[in-house]
Amino acid sequence: LRILLVPESLDTEQILNAVATGRYDLTVADSSLVRSVRLYTPGLKVAFDLTGDRPTAWAVRTGASRLRKAMDEFLGEAQLSRPHQETYRDDLPGIKKRKVLRVLTTNSAATYFLWHGQLMGFEYELVREFAMRHDLHIKLVVPPSNQDLISWLLAGRGDLIASALTPTEKRKTQGVAFSRPYAYATETVVARVEDQNLSHPRNLTGRTLVVRKSSSYWQTLEKLRGAGTDFKLVAAPEELNTEEIIARVATGEYDLTVADSHIVDIELCHRNDIRAAFALGDPISHGWAVRPRNKKLLAAINAYHQKEYRGLFYNMTYKKYFKNQRNIRKHHTLRSGRTGKISPYDPLFKQFAQRYGFDWRLIASQAYAESRFDPKARSWVGAQGIMQVMPRTARELGFTDVTQPKKGIHAGVKYMAQTRKRFAPELSVKDRNWFALASYNAGYGHVLDARRLAKQRGWNPDQWFDNVEKAMLLLSRPAHAKKARYGYCRGSEPVRYVRSIRERYQAYVRATEQ
């Protein structure tokens, strides 16, 4: 092997270009840069991975401790809140191997939303039940706009779409397959309450209707206009959901719109400035969407819908979100997507998360997992308060009554910070947080055992997801527990705990950044 030292004035991209043109034989470069350069540089090929994943970091002068602390806090939040971009296009067996069902959906009162820190919604509860029956965790993926749902599915950024989609021919030609129907709705013209001269499609002459171009409503209105009804059809911004478009009709910014009947029913529960003018035909079906090649996943979904449609679980869930007016008004008032609030204790989460270098939304997610924000919560082993701190631990941290929200949250975050410090700073910021959460739930010793076991099994002991968490599950088996320093651990609990916090945390990030 002959090594040529090139001038320091050349950056790595220039060296890669020189390899692509044949000027140099081979070079070594970071995988992230190679992926980018290959997009616009023909003739460049990846030969093999030389070192495996290695961490990269920013650097500061020795002694710049305040700057380093600020950078660590920023990078920690950025890493945690950044959604994973892995793409998979595998069928149900591959999904079961990964144990995670990635669900593409939208934020709305009819699909998925946050209320008092809790994940809710008709689509969310249906898909969560489906995942549980197949022993899967779910990961909600919310694209920037509605029109991205199908393209993200085809790109492998999700496994299915559960977002009240109508199975139109146009959508099928885009390359997706739809499940059997699981819900029906009527496309309805929505007007301001004082607009009483609308009762038939012929009354739309001279009016303006605003809907998203990616919606089924657009295709319905195009057909109606093609049949001779003279109205103006305007495309709404794709990032607006239907209830936001209805709100603009109510204020007079838009003239008219179209919405599914169940969405209109939800809106009429909490507002009196709109009305359902008339229906644009018979009820239409909704289905979940998958890639056509994922036949086993589609078959499983169809079997689920066939069994559950109009059954007890389905009917109770449907009534909860579309028929119970009291619930609907309550959910509307305090939905996180509308208020930007997660809990009554957001200021305290922010105060102590900032003091100890955490993202406050991660702490809020952990608090929900511990107590559902109940400061009077008490576990069967004696843990107390919003963060479920044991009395002995609280005393060691300098706290007495952790049922007081401020003291309880402070104690929990301080304990999390102490736990996180026990893991080497060379670990990625996000994995130090995941390890700290697992330790908070199961104990630091069990996490050390799981890391040692992961290394023995050939898994990465420095990564929690898909590596150390798998070893944690093994600690509940006698063959592994008797060899572990800290013995038996019911590993499914910390695994479920960390995954549920990550899922809720990502939802909190979306809700607070809207």
Side-chain angles (χ1 to χ4, degrees):
L1 178 65
R2 186 167 63 92
I3 300 175
L4 172 66
L5 299 179
V6 300
E8 290 291 338
S9 58
L10 288 183
D11 62 32
T12 307
E13 184 176 354
Q14 292 173 309
I15 299 171
L16 288 168
N17 281 314
V19 171
T21 58
R23 181 180 169 193
Y24 297 148
D25 190 12
L26 305 168
T27 191
V28 176
D30 284 347
S31 56
S32 55
L33 178 61
V34 174
R35 280 194 297 268
S36 299
V37 173
R38 287 186 68 197
L39 293 174
Y40 53 85
T41 307
L44 199 62
K45 175 186 175 183
V46 175
F48 56 87
D49 184 346
L50 190 64
T51 63
D53 285 343
R54 296 194 302 177
T56 56
W58 291 349
V60 297
R61 291 180 299 277
T62 302
S65 57
R66 292 178 63 185
L67 175 59
R68 179 181 174 182
K69 182 176 184 292
M71 288 163 48
D72 282 346
E73 290 175 0
F74 168 76
L75 291 171
E77 181 174 330
Q79 286 189 52
L80 285 170
S81 61
R82 182 182 62 199
H84 294 283
Q85 299 296 326
E86 294 96 336
T87 58
Y88 303 98
R89 297 181 182 84
D90 43 4
D91 204 347
L92 186 58
I95 294 169
K96 288 189 173 183
K97 186 176 181 181
R98 288 188 276 115
K99 291 189 174 295
V100 177
L101 180 69
R102 300 166 305 151
V103 181
L104 290 156
T105 189
T106 52
N107 284 121
S108 77
T111 53
Y112 150 70
F113 60 92
L114 287 169
W115 181 78
H116 274 206
Q118 183 177 359
L119 278 64
M120 301 187 73
F122 180 65
E123 298 285 348
Y124 170 73
E125 293 209 22
L126 287 186
V127 78
R128 182 184 64 179
E129 183 68 19
F130 170 77
M132 286 173 59
R133 296 185 185 187
H134 289 273
D135 195 26
L136 297 169
H137 304 283
I138 65 169
K139 177 183 177 182
L140 298 173
V141 182
V142 181
S145 68
N146 290 269
Q147 67 180 350
D148 294 323
L149 286 167
I150 290 178
S151 62
W152 279 35
L153 175 70
L154 298 178
R157 298 176 73 170
D159 301 309
L160 66 87
I161 301 173
S163 188
L165 287 186
T166 301
T168 63
E169 288 304 316
K170 181 178 179 180
R171 285 170 174 160
K172 292 176 183 176
T173 60
Q174 288 179 272
V176 298
F178 281 92
S179 70
R180 60 177 293 139
Y182 66 95
Y184 292 85
T186 304
E187 294 183 335
T188 304
V189 174
V190 180
R192 287 179 292 281
V193 69
E194 65 271 15
D195 195 349
Q196 295 292 326
N197 297 320
L198 290 170
S199 59
H200 192 274
R202 60 175 171 267
N203 301 136
L204 297 176
T205 300
R207 304 296 295 268
T208 300
L209 286 103
V210 183
V211 298
R212 293 187 310 275
K213 199 167 186 178
S214 66
S215 69
S216 61
Y217 314 140
W218 182 275
Q219 296 168 59
T220 299
L221 292 171
E222 276 191 324
K223 289 179 183 178
L224 183 61
R225 195 168 58 170
T229 306
D230 186 17
F231 59 85
K232 186 177 181 181
L233 182 55
V234 175
E238 287 292 334
E239 62 271 16
L240 291 184
N241 61 36
T242 303
E243 58 193 36
E244 291 173 313
I245 297 173
I246 290 174
R248 296 191 182 194
V249 170
T251 62
E253 182 178 349
Y254 294 160
D255 185 15
L256 303 169
T257 191
V258 174
D260 284 343
S261 52
H262 65 282
I263 298 177
V264 179
D265 290 342
I266 292 174
E267 293 299 297
L268 288 173
C269 281
H270 61 82
R271 63 189 320 151
N272 57 11
D273 49 4
I274 61 162
R275 74 182 189 91
F278 59 88
L280 290 174
D282 298 326
I284 56 174
S285 65
H286 293 157
W288 290 352
V290 301
R291 290 176 293 273
R293 293 176 60 184
N294 297 158
K295 298 185 184 300
K296 292 182 179 179
L297 176 59
L298 182 60
I301 292 171
N302 284 335
Y304 171 68
H305 287 327
Q306 183 175 14
K307 181 179 180 182
E308 293 302 328
Y309 181 64
R310 299 303 184 192
L312 179 62
F313 165 72
Y314 179 96
N315 288 340
M316 290 178 64
T317 307
Y318 190 89
K319 181 179 179 180
K320 175 180 177 181
Y321 291 104
F322 302 129
K323 296 300 181 183
N324 189 320
Q325 294 190 10
R326 181 181 176 186
N327 270 351
I328 293 170
R329 285 192 291 268
K330 184 170 64 174
H331 293 160
H332 168 80
T333 304
L334 294 173
R335 267 174 49 202
S336 297
R338 290 180 178 272
T339 66
K341 291 178 61 178
I342 292 173
S343 78
Y345 306 107
D346 288 2
L348 293 176
F349 292 137
K350 292 175 182 178
Q351 176 185 347
F352 295 113
Q354 182 179 25
R355 180 181 299 186
Y356 292 100
F358 290 98
D359 185 336
W360 73 273
R361 296 162 297 189
L362 181 70
I363 299 301
S365 179
Q366 182 185 12
Y368 182 88
E370 291 289 349
S371 67
R372 298 200 170 199
F373 305 135
D374 180 4
K376 302 299 182 184
R378 189 184 189 97
S379 75
W380 65 277
V381 294
Q384 297 176 342
I386 290 176
M387 299 296 287
Q388 289 291 278
V389 180
M390 293 294 288
R392 178 180 175 181
T393 303
R395 288 193 297 271
E396 291 172 351
L397 294 168
F399 299 92
T400 52
D401 185 7
V402 290
T403 62
Q404 296 181 29
K406 186 173 183 178
K407 291 183 178 179
I409 293 171
H410 189 181
V413 181
K414 186 175 181 179
Y415 182 57
M416 266 289 289
Q418 288 186 0
T419 304
R420 186 174 61 178
K421 283 183 179 178
R422 301 181 75 176
F423 294 98
E426 289 77 22
L427 296 174
S428 71
V429 175
K430 58 183 178 181
D431 277 300
R432 287 182 75 199
N433 280 291
W434 304 139
F435 285 137
L437 284 169
S439 299
Y440 195 101
N441 178 262
Y444 177 71
H446 290 309
V447 175
L448 289 185
D449 282 342
R451 292 186 69 193
R452 282 191 287 265
L453 180 56
K455 188 173 183 179
Q456 293 168 13
R457 307 279 293 193
W459 302 325
N460 190 336
D462 295 338
Q463 290 182 2
W464 172 259
F465 289 108
D466 300 319
N467 288 276
V468 176
E469 68 170 354
K470 293 196 297 184
M472 183 66 78
L473 292 171
L474 296 178
L475 293 178
S476 62
R477 299 181 185 178
H480 296 287
K482 67 182 181 181
K483 297 178 183 179
R485 179 179 178 184
Y486 294 92
Y488 172 86
C489 174
R490 190 157 56 185
S492 60
E493 289 191 5
V495 168
R496 185 167 55 247
Y497 178 81
V498 177
R499 280 191 175 270
S500 68
I501 288 174
R502 182 179 71 167
E503 177 189 338
R504 190 171 291 106
Y505 166 70
Q506 291 170 346
Y508 287 176
V509 169
R510 290 191 293 267
T512 54
E513 292 182 349
Q514 286 181 350

